[in-house]
Amino acid sequence: MTNALRFDPIRLPEACQDLRQEVRAFLAEEMARGTFGPGKETSPEEALEFSRRVGARGWIGMTWPKQYGGQELSFLERYVVTEEMRIANAPVRPFFAADRQSGPTIIRYGSEALKQAILPRIVKGEASFCIGMSEANSGSDLFAAQARARRDGDGWRLNGAKIWTSNAHLNDFMIGLFRTSPATTQNRRHGLTSFVIDLKTPGIDIKPIGMMSGTREFNEVVFNDVFVPGDNLLGEIDGAWKQATSELAYERSGPERFLETYDALRDLVALAGPEPDTRMAEGIGRLVAQLHTLRRMSVSVAGMLENGVEPVVEAAIVKDLGTVWEQALPHRVRTLAALHDDEGDGGFEERLNQQMRIAPKLTIQGGTTEILRGIIARGLGLR
Protein backbone atom coordinates (compact mmCIF):
# COMPACT_ATOMS: atom_id res chain seq x y z
CA MET A 1 0.00 0.00 0.00
CA THR A 2 1.05 3.55 -0.63
CA ASN A 3 -0.48 6.97 -0.26
CA ALA A 4 2.00 8.55 -2.70
CA LEU A 5 0.49 9.20 -6.11
CA ARG A 6 2.80 10.26 -8.91
CA PHE A 7 1.84 12.25 -11.97
CA ASP A 8 5.19 13.64 -13.08
CA PRO A 9 4.98 16.58 -15.55
CA ILE A 10 6.37 14.77 -18.61
CA ARG A 11 6.92 16.62 -21.88
CA LEU A 12 6.84 14.84 -25.21
CA PRO A 13 10.27 14.90 -26.92
CA GLU A 14 10.86 16.42 -30.35
CA ALA A 15 10.82 13.00 -32.03
CA CYS A 16 7.22 12.65 -30.93
CA GLN A 17 6.25 15.90 -32.61
CA ASP A 18 7.79 14.74 -35.91
CA LEU A 19 5.94 11.45 -35.57
CA ARG A 20 2.68 13.30 -34.91
CA GLN A 21 2.94 15.09 -38.26
CA GLU A 22 3.65 11.80 -40.01
CA VAL A 23 0.59 10.17 -38.46
CA ARG A 24 -1.62 13.14 -39.33
CA ALA A 25 -0.50 12.98 -42.97
CA PHE A 26 -1.23 9.24 -43.08
CA LEU A 27 -4.70 9.72 -41.61
CA ALA A 28 -5.45 12.53 -44.06
CA GLU A 29 -4.56 10.16 -46.90
CA GLU A 30 -6.82 7.47 -45.47
CA MET A 31 -9.72 9.90 -45.17
CA ALA A 32 -9.13 11.07 -48.75
CA ARG A 33 -9.30 7.49 -50.02
CA GLY A 34 -12.61 7.01 -48.16
CA THR A 35 -11.48 4.60 -45.46
CA PHE A 36 -13.22 6.63 -42.73
CA GLY A 37 -14.58 10.07 -42.03
CA PRO A 38 -17.68 11.96 -40.85
CA GLY A 39 -20.80 10.03 -41.80
CA LYS A 40 -18.77 7.09 -43.12
CA GLU A 41 -19.52 3.65 -41.67
CA THR A 42 -16.29 1.66 -42.02
CA SER A 43 -16.93 -2.03 -42.70
CA PRO A 44 -15.02 -4.76 -40.81
CA GLU A 45 -13.19 -5.59 -44.04
CA GLU A 46 -12.15 -1.97 -44.57
CA ALA A 47 -11.05 -1.71 -40.94
CA LEU A 48 -8.91 -4.84 -41.31
CA GLU A 49 -7.23 -3.44 -44.42
CA PHE A 50 -6.62 -0.19 -42.57
CA SER A 51 -5.00 -2.18 -39.74
CA ARG A 52 -2.64 -3.85 -42.19
CA ARG A 53 -1.60 -0.46 -43.56
CA VAL A 54 -1.02 0.82 -40.00
CA GLY A 55 1.08 -2.30 -39.36
CA ALA A 56 3.10 -1.68 -42.50
CA ARG A 57 3.96 1.75 -41.10
CA GLY A 58 5.38 0.10 -37.97
CA TRP A 59 2.73 1.62 -35.69
CA ILE A 60 1.48 -1.60 -34.10
CA GLY A 61 3.65 -3.14 -31.40
CA MET A 62 5.87 -0.07 -31.48
CA THR A 63 7.34 -0.69 -28.02
CA TRP A 64 7.83 -4.45 -28.46
CA PRO A 65 11.12 -6.33 -28.99
CA LYS A 66 12.37 -6.40 -32.57
CA GLN A 67 12.63 -10.19 -32.48
CA TYR A 68 8.82 -10.31 -32.55
CA GLY A 69 8.43 -7.59 -35.18
CA GLY A 70 8.33 -4.59 -32.85
CA GLN A 71 10.26 -1.33 -33.16
CA GLU A 72 11.51 -0.97 -29.55
CA LEU A 73 10.26 2.62 -29.53
CA SER A 74 9.03 4.48 -26.45
CA PHE A 75 5.61 4.49 -24.81
CA LEU A 76 5.54 8.24 -25.44
CA GLU A 77 5.85 7.68 -29.19
CA ARG A 78 3.09 5.09 -29.00
CA TYR A 79 1.01 7.62 -27.05
CA VAL A 80 1.23 10.12 -29.91
CA VAL A 81 0.07 7.55 -32.47
CA THR A 82 -2.85 6.52 -30.23
CA GLU A 83 -3.86 10.13 -29.60
CA GLU A 84 -3.90 11.04 -33.28
CA MET A 85 -5.82 7.89 -34.22
CA ARG A 86 -8.44 8.60 -31.55
CA ILE A 87 -8.83 12.29 -32.37
CA ALA A 88 -9.38 11.37 -36.03
CA ASN A 89 -11.82 8.62 -34.99
CA ALA A 90 -9.89 6.13 -37.12
CA PRO A 91 -11.12 2.49 -37.31
CA VAL A 92 -8.54 1.04 -34.89
CA ARG A 93 -10.66 -1.73 -33.36
CA PRO A 94 -9.09 -4.67 -35.24
CA PHE A 95 -5.68 -4.04 -33.66
CA PHE A 96 -6.12 -1.74 -30.68
CA ALA A 97 -6.66 -4.17 -27.77
CA ALA A 98 -3.92 -6.46 -29.09
CA ASP A 99 -1.47 -3.56 -29.36
CA ARG A 100 -2.42 -1.93 -26.07
CA GLN A 101 -2.53 -4.86 -23.67
CA SER A 102 -2.77 -8.37 -25.10
CA GLY A 103 0.58 -8.27 -26.87
CA PRO A 104 2.48 -6.88 -23.85
CA THR A 105 0.85 -9.54 -21.65
CA ILE A 106 1.95 -12.32 -24.03
CA ILE A 107 5.47 -10.86 -24.16
CA ARG A 108 5.70 -10.94 -20.40
CA TYR A 109 3.89 -14.18 -19.54
CA GLY A 110 3.52 -16.27 -22.71
CA SER A 111 5.49 -19.31 -23.85
CA GLU A 112 8.07 -18.76 -26.59
CA ALA A 113 5.95 -20.83 -28.98
CA LEU A 114 2.97 -18.54 -28.32
CA LYS A 115 5.07 -15.40 -28.81
CA GLN A 116 6.45 -16.62 -32.14
CA ALA A 117 3.04 -17.72 -33.37
CA ILE A 118 1.00 -14.62 -32.49
CA LEU A 119 3.08 -11.48 -31.93
CA PRO A 120 4.31 -11.04 -35.54
CA ARG A 121 0.70 -11.39 -36.74
CA ILE A 122 -0.41 -8.63 -34.35
CA VAL A 123 2.37 -6.34 -35.57
CA LYS A 124 1.20 -6.84 -39.17
CA GLY A 125 -2.37 -5.96 -38.22
CA GLU A 126 -3.54 -9.51 -38.90
CA ALA A 127 -4.50 -10.80 -35.41
CA SER A 128 -7.08 -9.15 -33.16
CA PHE A 129 -7.85 -9.66 -29.46
CA CYS A 130 -10.61 -9.15 -26.94
CA ILE A 131 -10.48 -9.42 -23.15
CA GLY A 132 -12.51 -12.01 -21.21
CA MET A 133 -12.69 -10.93 -17.58
CA SER A 134 -16.17 -9.80 -16.46
CA GLU A 135 -18.97 -12.30 -15.81
CA ALA A 136 -22.74 -12.00 -15.49
CA ASN A 137 -22.89 -12.65 -11.75
CA SER A 138 -19.68 -10.85 -10.80
CA GLY A 139 -19.36 -7.87 -13.14
CA SER A 140 -15.96 -6.26 -12.67
CA ASP A 141 -15.34 -8.14 -9.40
CA LEU A 142 -12.79 -10.55 -10.83
CA PHE A 143 -12.39 -12.31 -7.47
CA ALA A 144 -15.90 -13.71 -7.98
CA ALA A 145 -15.17 -15.22 -11.41
CA GLN A 146 -16.76 -18.66 -11.84
CA ALA A 147 -15.86 -19.66 -15.40
CA ARG A 148 -13.63 -22.69 -14.95
CA ALA A 149 -10.64 -24.40 -16.55
CA ARG A 150 -9.71 -28.01 -15.78
CA ARG A 151 -6.76 -30.09 -16.87
CA ASP A 152 -7.17 -32.32 -19.93
CA GLY A 153 -3.96 -34.10 -20.87
CA ASP A 154 -1.45 -31.50 -22.04
CA GLY A 155 -4.15 -28.83 -22.28
CA TRP A 156 -7.22 -27.42 -20.57
CA ARG A 157 -11.01 -27.53 -20.91
CA LEU A 158 -12.93 -24.28 -20.44
CA ASN A 159 -16.55 -23.93 -19.32
CA GLY A 160 -18.57 -20.86 -18.37
CA ALA A 161 -19.22 -17.44 -19.86
CA LYS A 162 -17.74 -13.95 -20.11
CA ILE A 163 -19.82 -10.82 -20.60
CA TRP A 164 -19.37 -7.23 -21.87
CA THR A 165 -16.70 -8.64 -24.19
CA SER A 166 -16.00 -5.87 -26.70
CA ASN A 167 -15.91 -6.90 -30.37
CA ALA A 168 -15.50 -10.62 -29.66
CA HIS A 169 -17.60 -11.35 -32.78
CA LEU A 170 -14.91 -9.68 -34.92
CA ASN A 171 -11.79 -10.84 -33.08
CA ASP A 172 -9.44 -13.78 -33.56
CA PHE A 173 -8.33 -14.36 -29.96
CA MET A 174 -9.27 -13.70 -26.36
CA ILE A 175 -7.15 -13.48 -23.24
CA GLY A 176 -9.54 -15.06 -20.75
CA LEU A 177 -9.42 -15.29 -16.97
CA PHE A 178 -10.63 -18.65 -15.60
CA ARG A 179 -10.83 -20.28 -12.20
CA THR A 180 -8.47 -23.25 -11.87
CA SER A 181 -8.70 -23.60 -8.07
CA PRO A 182 -11.04 -22.32 -5.34
CA ALA A 183 -10.17 -19.04 -3.66
CA THR A 184 -8.90 -19.41 -0.10
CA THR A 185 -10.10 -17.63 3.04
CA GLN A 186 -6.68 -16.05 3.37
CA ASN A 187 -6.37 -15.05 -0.30
CA ARG A 188 -9.39 -14.29 -2.52
CA ARG A 189 -6.97 -13.62 -5.38
CA HIS A 190 -5.85 -17.25 -5.47
CA GLY A 191 -7.08 -19.69 -8.10
CA LEU A 192 -7.32 -17.57 -11.28
CA THR A 193 -5.40 -18.43 -14.45
CA SER A 194 -5.13 -16.69 -17.84
CA PHE A 195 -5.25 -18.33 -21.26
CA VAL A 196 -4.97 -17.23 -24.87
CA ILE A 197 -8.04 -18.64 -26.63
CA ASP A 198 -8.58 -19.00 -30.37
CA LEU A 199 -12.18 -17.80 -30.80
CA LYS A 200 -12.73 -20.18 -33.72
CA THR A 201 -12.28 -23.18 -31.44
CA PRO A 202 -15.32 -25.55 -31.37
CA GLY A 203 -17.59 -25.01 -28.36
CA ILE A 204 -17.46 -21.19 -28.32
CA ASP A 205 -20.74 -19.31 -28.82
CA ILE A 206 -20.61 -15.51 -29.17
CA LYS A 207 -23.93 -13.77 -28.47
CA PRO A 208 -24.62 -10.04 -29.03
CA ILE A 209 -25.67 -7.66 -26.25
CA GLY A 210 -27.92 -4.87 -27.54
CA MET A 211 -26.84 -1.25 -27.21
CA MET A 212 -28.74 2.04 -27.47
CA SER A 213 -26.31 3.22 -30.14
CA GLY A 214 -27.60 0.51 -32.48
CA THR A 215 -24.09 -0.81 -33.06
CA ARG A 216 -22.83 -4.24 -32.07
CA GLU A 217 -19.91 -4.02 -29.69
CA PHE A 218 -20.58 -5.86 -26.40
CA ASN A 219 -20.99 -9.64 -26.40
CA GLU A 220 -21.49 -12.62 -24.14
CA VAL A 221 -18.99 -15.38 -24.93
CA VAL A 222 -20.05 -18.86 -23.80
CA PHE A 223 -17.54 -21.72 -23.43
CA ASN A 224 -18.82 -25.27 -23.63
CA ASP A 225 -15.99 -27.77 -23.00
CA VAL A 226 -13.56 -25.73 -25.11
CA PHE A 227 -10.06 -27.21 -25.46
CA VAL A 228 -7.03 -24.92 -25.08
CA PRO A 229 -3.47 -26.23 -25.71
CA GLY A 230 -0.99 -26.10 -22.83
CA ASP A 231 1.22 -23.60 -24.69
CA ASN A 232 -1.66 -21.09 -24.50
CA LEU A 233 -1.36 -20.81 -20.71
CA LEU A 234 -0.19 -17.35 -19.63
CA GLY A 235 2.08 -17.14 -16.62
CA GLU A 236 1.53 -18.94 -13.34
CA ILE A 237 -1.32 -21.35 -12.69
CA ASP A 238 -3.64 -19.92 -9.97
CA GLY A 239 -1.62 -16.68 -9.94
CA ALA A 240 -3.15 -14.60 -12.73
CA TRP A 241 -4.54 -11.87 -10.48
CA LYS A 242 -1.27 -9.95 -10.51
CA GLN A 243 -1.05 -10.41 -14.27
CA ALA A 244 -4.59 -9.10 -14.70
CA THR A 245 -3.96 -5.96 -12.68
CA SER A 246 -0.78 -5.31 -14.66
CA GLU A 247 -2.70 -5.77 -17.91
CA LEU A 248 -5.38 -3.33 -16.80
CA ALA A 249 -2.74 -0.65 -16.18
CA TYR A 250 -2.17 -0.68 -19.94
CA GLU A 251 -5.91 -0.68 -20.67
CA ARG A 252 -6.99 2.09 -18.34
CA SER A 253 -4.54 4.91 -18.84
CA GLY A 254 -4.47 5.87 -22.52
CA PRO A 255 -6.07 8.82 -24.34
CA GLU A 256 -8.86 6.51 -25.52
CA ARG A 257 -10.25 6.82 -21.98
CA PHE A 258 -11.27 10.45 -22.49
CA LEU A 259 -11.47 10.92 -26.27
CA GLU A 260 -14.33 8.62 -27.28
CA THR A 261 -16.88 11.45 -27.35
CA TYR A 262 -14.32 14.12 -28.31
CA ASP A 263 -16.21 14.89 -31.53
CA ALA A 264 -18.95 16.51 -29.45
CA LEU A 265 -16.47 19.14 -28.20
CA ARG A 266 -15.04 19.68 -31.67
CA ASP A 267 -18.55 20.21 -33.05
CA LEU A 268 -19.31 22.69 -30.25
CA VAL A 269 -16.20 24.75 -31.06
CA ALA A 270 -17.21 24.82 -34.74
CA LEU A 271 -20.75 25.84 -33.78
CA ALA A 272 -19.50 28.67 -31.54
CA GLY A 273 -17.34 30.13 -34.29
CA PRO A 274 -14.37 32.49 -33.90
CA GLU A 275 -16.22 34.98 -31.66
CA PRO A 276 -18.34 33.05 -29.12
CA ASP A 277 -20.32 34.96 -26.54
CA THR A 278 -19.09 35.08 -22.95
CA ARG A 279 -21.19 32.14 -21.77
CA MET A 280 -20.08 29.89 -24.62
CA ALA A 281 -16.43 30.94 -24.31
CA GLU A 282 -16.40 30.18 -20.60
CA GLY A 283 -18.05 26.78 -21.13
CA ILE A 284 -15.64 25.76 -23.88
CA GLY A 285 -12.68 27.04 -21.87
CA ARG A 286 -13.71 24.96 -18.88
CA LEU A 287 -14.07 21.80 -20.98
CA VAL A 288 -10.73 22.34 -22.72
CA ALA A 289 -8.98 22.92 -19.38
CA GLN A 290 -10.42 19.67 -18.05
CA LEU A 291 -9.37 17.83 -21.21
CA HIS A 292 -5.85 19.24 -20.94
CA THR A 293 -5.58 18.05 -17.33
CA LEU A 294 -6.66 14.52 -18.26
CA ARG A 295 -4.18 14.50 -21.11
CA ARG A 296 -1.29 15.56 -18.89
CA MET A 297 -2.15 12.79 -16.42
CA SER A 298 -2.35 10.23 -19.20
CA VAL A 299 0.99 11.29 -20.68
CA SER A 300 2.49 10.98 -17.21
CA VAL A 301 1.28 7.38 -16.95
CA ALA A 302 2.80 6.66 -20.38
CA GLY A 303 6.09 7.98 -19.01
CA MET A 304 5.83 5.62 -16.02
CA LEU A 305 5.24 2.66 -18.34
CA GLU A 306 8.29 3.77 -20.33
CA ASN A 307 10.34 3.68 -17.11
CA GLY A 308 9.19 0.15 -16.25
CA VAL A 309 6.75 1.22 -13.52
CA GLU A 310 3.30 -0.40 -13.20
CA PRO A 311 1.07 2.58 -12.32
CA VAL A 312 -2.02 0.59 -11.35
CA VAL A 313 -3.55 3.27 -9.09
CA GLU A 314 -2.67 6.18 -11.36
CA ALA A 315 -4.11 4.32 -14.36
CA ALA A 316 -7.32 3.68 -12.43
CA ILE A 317 -7.58 7.40 -11.64
CA VAL A 318 -7.14 8.35 -15.32
CA LYS A 319 -9.79 5.83 -16.35
CA ASP A 320 -12.24 6.91 -13.65
CA LEU A 321 -11.90 10.66 -14.24
CA GLY A 322 -11.58 10.28 -18.00
CA THR A 323 -14.62 8.10 -18.62
CA VAL A 324 -16.83 10.12 -16.26
CA TRP A 325 -15.77 13.26 -18.14
CA GLU A 326 -16.30 11.84 -21.64
CA GLN A 327 -19.62 10.34 -20.55
CA ALA A 328 -20.87 13.74 -19.37
CA LEU A 329 -19.38 15.68 -22.31
CA PRO A 330 -22.29 15.30 -24.80
CA HIS A 331 -24.75 16.49 -22.13
CA ARG A 332 -22.57 19.52 -21.35
CA VAL A 333 -22.28 20.30 -25.05
CA ARG A 334 -26.05 20.14 -25.46
CA THR A 335 -26.54 22.54 -22.52
CA LEU A 336 -24.06 25.05 -23.96
CA ALA A 337 -25.48 24.77 -27.48
CA ALA A 338 -29.12 25.11 -26.39
CA LEU A 339 -29.13 28.91 -26.28
CA HIS A 340 -26.98 29.40 -29.38
CA ASP A 341 -28.82 30.97 -32.31
CA ASP A 342 -26.91 29.21 -35.09
CA GLU A 343 -27.90 25.54 -35.52
CA GLY A 344 -24.71 24.75 -37.38
CA ASP A 345 -24.41 22.50 -40.41
CA GLY A 346 -27.62 20.57 -39.75
CA GLY A 347 -25.81 17.43 -38.67
CA PHE A 348 -24.81 18.75 -35.25
CA GLU A 349 -27.89 17.44 -33.45
CA GLU A 350 -27.74 14.03 -35.11
CA ARG A 351 -24.07 13.55 -34.25
CA LEU A 352 -24.64 14.74 -30.69
CA ASN A 353 -27.51 12.30 -30.25
CA GLN A 354 -25.23 9.46 -31.34
CA GLN A 355 -22.57 10.54 -28.82
CA MET A 356 -25.22 10.52 -26.08
CA ARG A 357 -26.25 7.00 -27.02
CA ILE A 358 -22.62 5.86 -26.87
CA ALA A 359 -21.91 7.54 -23.52
CA PRO A 360 -23.58 5.09 -21.08
CA LYS A 361 -21.13 2.27 -21.89
CA LEU A 362 -18.03 4.32 -21.16
CA THR A 363 -17.98 3.81 -17.39
CA ILE A 364 -18.53 0.05 -17.83
CA GLN A 365 -15.82 -1.01 -20.27
CA GLY A 366 -12.38 -1.48 -18.74
CA GLY A 367 -13.73 -1.68 -15.18
CA THR A 368 -16.73 0.04 -13.64
CA THR A 369 -16.42 3.30 -11.73
CA GLU A 370 -17.18 1.53 -8.44
CA ILE A 371 -14.43 -1.05 -8.94
CA LEU A 372 -11.94 1.62 -9.99
CA ARG A 373 -12.63 3.69 -6.89
CA GLY A 374 -12.10 0.61 -4.75
CA ILE A 375 -8.69 0.10 -6.38
CA ILE A 376 -7.83 3.76 -5.80
CA ALA A 377 -8.93 3.63 -2.16
CA ARG A 378 -6.88 0.49 -1.57
CA GLY A 379 -3.85 2.06 -3.21
CA LEU A 380 -4.19 5.09 -0.95
CA GLY A 381 -4.41 2.89 2.12
CA LEU A 382 -8.03 3.83 2.79
CA ARG A 383 -9.38 0.25 2.79
Side-chain angles (χ1 to χ4, degrees):
M1 287 186 184
T2 178
N3 57 8
L5 293 175
R6 296 194 59 176
F7 285 102
D8 297 334
I10 293 174
R11 296 292 178 185
L12 296 174
E14 190 62 33
C16 288
Q17 308 308 332
D18 295 338
L19 176 61
R20 187 183 299 281
Q21 297 308 314
E22 185 181 347
V23 176
R24 285 181 179 177
F26 167 78
L27 292 172
E29 291 172 5
E30 289 294 324
M31 292 182 72
R33 72 190 296 171
T35 303
F36 67 96
K40 159 72 173 176
E41 186 70 31
T42 304
S43 71
E45 294 75 21
E46 290 173 316
L48 183 56
E49 287 302 315
F50 174 78
S51 297
R52 289 173 176 148
R53 290 192 290 273
V54 173
R57 291 280 185 143
W59 294 337
I60 304 176
M62 295 173 65
T63 64
W64 303 358
K66 291 183 178 179
Q67 69 186 97
Y68 303 121
Q71 303 290 319
E72 297 184 10
L73 298 174
S74 71
F75 278 92
L76 296 176
E77 287 167 299
R78 183 189 176 278
Y79 184 96
V80 165
V81 173
T82 300
E83 187 172 58
E84 291 300 321
M85 293 277 181
R86 286 293 174 168
I87 288 173
N89 209 12
V92 300
R93 285 179 176 173
F95 66 86
F96 195 73
D99 178 44
R100 177 181 64 187
Q101 65 197 99
S102 302
T105 300
I106 292 171
I107 289 170
R108 184 164 183 178
Y109 297 108
S111 66
E112 188 59 31
L114 194 64
K115 294 175 186 177
Q116 295 290 348
I118 292 181
L119 293 175
R121 291 178 59 194
I122 295 175
V123 167
K124 293 177 183 177
E126 296 176 351
S128 56
F129 272 75
C130 60
I131 308 303
M133 290 188 178
S134 296
E135 297 184 9
N137 295 321
S138 60
S140 296
D141 181 7
L142 302 185
F143 297 156
Q146 294 300 311
R148 297 187 176 277
R150 59 177 174 82
R151 288 276 197 181
D152 184 358
D154 293 334
W156 299 80
R157 291 280 175 184
L158 310 181
N159 285 279
K162 296 294 177 178
I163 203 167
W164 309 121
T165 312
S166 298
N167 301 307
H169 61 297
L170 299 175
N171 293 146
D172 301 303
F173 299 95
M174 170 193 284
I175 291 184
L177 191 69
F178 287 77
R179 185 159 294 286
T180 44
S181 297
T184 65
T185 304
Q186 296 78 18
N187 185 5
R188 288 188 68 209
R189 298 172 174 84
H190 176 77
L192 297 171
T193 304
S194 286
F195 300 90
V196 172
I197 305 157
D198 186 335
L199 291 174
K200 296 178 178 61
T201 305
I204 296 177
D205 187 14
I206 301 175
K207 303 176 180 181
I209 297 174
M211 297 175 60
M212 287 190 297
S213 65
T215 58
R216 182 175 178 184
E217 182 173 350
F218 288 147
N219 298 273
E220 180 183 22
V221 184
V222 181
F223 299 87
N224 183 17
D225 220 26
V226 174
F227 181 76
V228 174
D231 275 344
N232 287 33
L233 172 74
L234 285 178
E236 179 185 350
I237 297 172
D238 293 338
W241 172 251
K242 186 175 186 298
Q243 297 166 210
T245 54
S246 173
E247 181 181 349
L248 289 170
Y250 291 98
E251 179 181 0
R252 289 172 170 164
S253 59
E256 69 276 11
R257 292 309 182 193
F258 49 86
L259 289 177
E260 194 151 349
T261 58
Y262 171 77
D263 281 351
L265 177 57
R266 179 159 44 196
D267 278 353
L268 179 66
V269 171
L271 181 70
E275 296 182 2
D277 61 30
T278 301
R279 175 180 171 275
M280 180 74 81
E282 182 199 11
I284 291 175
R286 190 180 300 276
L287 290 172
V288 170
Q290 292 163 351
L291 176 61
H292 180 74
T293 301
L294 290 166
R295 182 177 184 271
R296 295 309 311 159
M297 294 170 71
S298 184
V299 170
S300 181
V301 172
M304 295 182 214
L305 292 171
E306 174 64 20
N307 292 326
V309 178
E310 291 185 358
V312 174
V313 177
E314 288 85 354
I317 291 173
V318 171
K319 201 276 183 184
D320 179 23
L321 294 177
T323 54
V324 169
W325 182 84
E326 67 178 355
Q327 187 177 72
L329 179 60
H331 299 274
R332 292 172 178 167
V333 167
R334 170 157 283 166
T335 298
L336 287 169
L339 299 180
H340 196 266
D341 293 334
D342 184 0
E343 295 183 0
D345 61 9
F348 174 83
E349 189 69 21
E350 180 181 347
R351 291 191 298 271
L352 186 58
N353 284 338
Q354 179 64 9
Q355 296 292 332
M356 294 183 78
R357 287 191 290 267
I358 290 170
K361 70 164 184 148
L362 299 174
T363 51
I364 297 174
Q365 58 191 25
T368 64
T369 298
E370 293 78 10
I371 291 295
L372 291 168
R373 291 176 183 177
I375 292 169
I376 295 165
R378 190 177 298 112
L380 293 174
L382 300 177
R383 57 179 291 187

